[in-house]
Amino acid sequence: IDVQTPHGPVSFFYCISTPSNEDSDSLDPALPTVLFLHAAWVPSTIFHPQFADPTLRRFNLVALDLLSHGRTEGAVPAVYTEREAAEDVNAFMV
């Protein structure tokens, strides 16, 4: 998904898992959504084993690759701290 962040455009890679589908194209609007944020140096694929487990999929589960991780693309600003990363996540959620 292409998102305009405070520091410029970012093309975020993300995946969605629902109770009925470990690799869904959309959220189930009747369920709450849990957003998974990965640690530094690893992409969102770290969560895929959890997404594949039907006993854990009771909600919409969404994992995204943060800027400069995995398949997310965009220019990394000269200053990119936790604040800018949080602004990116907010822009993604909006």
Side-chain angles (χ1 to χ4, degrees), residues 42-61:
V42 295
S44 63
T45 55
I46 191 113
F47 301 116
H48 289 189
Q50 293 167 290
F51 285 19
D53 185 343
T55 62
L56 298 177
R57 292 191 331 248
R58 297 183 295 157
F59 308 104
N60 295 305
L61 308 177

Side-chain angles (χ1 to χ4, degrees), residues 10-31:
V10 175
S11 181
F12 285 103
F13 173 80
Y14 67 97
C15 57
I16 300 172
S17 179
T18 64
S20 61
N21 188 346
E22 70 181 75
D23 187 20
S24 180
D25 291 330
S26 61
L27 300 172
D28 180 337
L31 296 173

Side-chain angles (χ1 to χ4, degrees), residues 56-81:
L56 298 177
R57 292 191 331 248
R58 297 183 295 157
F59 308 104
N60 295 305
L61 308 177
V62 177
L64 74 145
D65 286 339
L66 298 172
L67 188 58
S68 80
H69 290 80
R71 293 175 18 195
T72 289
E73 298 176 347
V76 179
V79 175
Y80 192 75
T81 66

Side-chain angles (χ1 to χ4, degrees), residues 14-15 33-37 47 51 60-64 89-90 92-93:
Y14 67 97
C15 57
T33 299
V34 178
L35 181 62
F36 287 68
L37 301 175
F47 301 116
F51 285 19
N60 295 305
L61 308 177
V62 177
L64 74 145
V89 171
N90 184 65
F92 173 82
M93 290 189 304

